[in-house]
Amino acid sequence: MFLLTLLCSSVLLLTSPVEGKKNYATALAKSILFYNSQRSGKLPTNNPIPWRGDSSLTDCVVGGWHDAGDHVKFQLPASASTTLLAWSLVQFSAGYQNASQLTAMYDMIKWPLDYFLKAWSPSKSQLVVQVGDGGADHAYWGRPEDMTMARPCKTVSAATKGSDQAAGTAAALAAGSIAFKTKGDTAYATSLLDAAKTLYTFAKANRGVFTGSAEFYSSSGDRDEMCEAAVWLYKASGTASYLTDARSFVETTTAYALSWDDKKAACQALLYGVTKEAQYQTPVVNFFNAWLPGGSVQYTPCGLAWRDQWGATRYAANAAFLALAAADFGIDAAKYRKWGVEQINYILGDNKYSGGCYSFEIGYGTKYPKNPHHRASSCPNKPAACGWNEYNAQTNNPQVLNGALVGGPDVNDNYEDKRSDYIKNEVALDYNAGFQAALAAINSLVAKNALPATANKCPCP
């Protein structure tokens, strides 16, 4: 009966909106479904993705999320995504409530947090930071349920440094502890906070960037993760020494972007939110002076802030969330909210591709990508086979990867819905994180009847 109720509710919530009118609640609900599509391990009885089943049950740490269109579990992007998502739940829970997605969000975010708890062994001072071999995994096209290749583990310890990975995970656990304490689940919140504390202590005592995933996720440093972990631990525990640490780790130069590798701007904004000190507000303002029109960041003709060809929508959505969070902290609220909503509007249809009204979030509206670079969604229902023939097929993916944000257009608004184009059409955990967080922030504005007036250059008519 519970599953039937859940599915019926999903049908009502996920009805496509009328073109031209943004339904931010629908977009938010679908993004949560994307993360559920990425689950590894033994799936729960309320699994809302009918074409996904149990997978990788013999992994050294079972559970977690597949990284992107592949099936490796990489800790750095997974922890970065979880931290942003938990941040949105802590600061903009009203947005999830307004979209009737609060329960679904708690269910979704617990999946990676449970995995992080299992991945960290305080007694061994060891954190599992990768499951699966990137080369072998990328040579395979098929369902995660059908994988037979070896899935080796990579770990960090006192002997194999990885404070970037450890601190990034500690940040996610600490932010998650606040969210679940707010929910009233004090036992789970305490377990998350305890793990975050020991993991942060380990990271602080064993500084050094992990190089074992360099061919896929090469970290440029650990100060941003150390800062982010410290500020979230301060917010979760109230212990002053964590705030002192965050102050020592924060960099006040202007960040290039907010991403899985660079959380500098996030920590600056969080520290301003905690302290209200100008020394942290200034770099945030400088960041948006670069990102808003007239700054150094390029714009497409239809108005997407275009930072890089790899995950163009991801960078814009991350910056949009940061703008909405900074506005909530009291920094140039009207300007930042308007700009942040306009970036999300572009992604949801205020663009010119395919005649306009094209959503780069799969499943939203009536025009959206049908061929994401994503193995599981390219596979027909069992017992049909799935392999490289499906990768090369000229037909649309049999499964709709609801909620996934594709990489998006080039700097001239050009885009092609092509499965083999892993630049414009792959999906990833970190692509959706800032996007979903921004949607939560926007829905919180909707709840207060405070949504700003926007002026997108290519509005969906």
Side-chain angles (χ1 to χ4, degrees), residues 226-440:
M226 295 298 297
C227 179
E228 196 174 39
V231 75
W232 277 113
L233 277 163
Y234 172 70
K235 287 168 69 71
S237 69
T239 303
S241 60
Y242 291 125
L243 181 57
T244 300
D245 280 1
R247 290 179 183 275
S248 72
F249 289 124
V250 70
E251 299 171 85
T252 55
T253 53
T254 304
Y256 174 83
L258 173 59
S259 71
W260 60 265
D261 178 41
D262 189 354
K263 293 98 169 178
K264 179 165 57 178
C267 200
Q268 292 164 350
L270 286 165
L271 275 173
Y272 176 73
V274 167
T275 68
K276 301 300 182 183
E277 293 176 7
Q279 62 177 319
Y280 306 124
Q281 179 179 2
T282 298
V284 174
V285 172
N286 290 340
F287 178 85
F288 287 110
N289 285 343
W291 273 82
L292 268 64
S296 59
V297 175
Q298 298 183 81
Y299 275 74
T300 70
C302 282
L304 180 71
W306 197 91
R307 184 44 115 179
D308 190 81
Q309 66 172 344
W310 288 89
T313 56
R314 170 263 312 270
Y315 284 116
N318 285 358
F321 169 65
L322 193 63
L324 291 160
D328 196 58
F329 292 145
I331 305 177
D332 216 340
K335 181 194 293 186
Y336 288 3
R337 283 175 179 149
K338 176 179 180 293
W339 181 82
V341 174
E342 286 173 348
Q343 292 303 298
I344 300 304
N345 284 350
Y346 176 103
I347 291 170
L348 292 179
D350 285 357
N351 56 68
K352 68 178 183 180
Y353 181 71
S354 188
C357 297
Y358 190 88
S359 168
F360 291 101
E361 182 191 24
I362 296 172
Y364 178 91
T366 59
K367 290 190 284 186
Y368 51 81
K370 304 297 199 305
N371 298 290
H373 184 88
H374 186 270
R375 289 156 176 77
S377 72
S378 77
C379 294
N381 292 330
K382 286 187 172 185
C386 185
W388 288 103
N389 286 338
E390 282 60 45
Y391 171 82
N392 292 310
Q394 298 304 302
T395 53
N396 293 335
N397 285 18
Q399 317 299 346
V400 179
L401 188 61
N402 273 309
L405 181 66
V406 299
D410 66 17
V411 72
N412 295 308
D413 287 318
N414 298 316
Y415 169 78
E416 185 178 4
D417 182 15
K418 189 176 181 181
R419 189 178 302 115
S420 60
D421 190 342
Y422 45 79
I423 295 178
K424 292 187 177 70
N425 234 32
E426 189 159 19
V427 300
L429 298 177
D430 71 292
Y431 282 22
N432 265 73
F435 172 66
Q436 179 174 315
L439 287 167

Side-chain angles (χ1 to χ4, degrees), residues 37-39 51-56 66 68-72 136-149 151 372-382 384-392 397-399 401 419:
S37 299
Q38 296 298 102
R39 283 172 167 172
W51 44 272
R52 282 301 325 283
D54 300 343
S55 63
S56 303
H66 300 137
D70 58 0
H71 306 131
V72 185
D137 186 277
H138 285 193
Y140 168 80
W141 193 273
R143 302 179 184 90
E145 294 82 3
D146 298 338
M147 288 189 298
T148 59
M149 84 279 283
R151 287 173 60 80
H373 184 88
H374 186 270
R375 289 156 176 77
S377 72
S378 77
C379 294
N381 292 330
K382 286 187 172 185
C386 185
W388 288 103
N389 286 338
E390 282 60 45
Y391 171 82
N392 292 310
N397 285 18
Q399 317 299 346
L401 188 61
R419 189 178 302 115

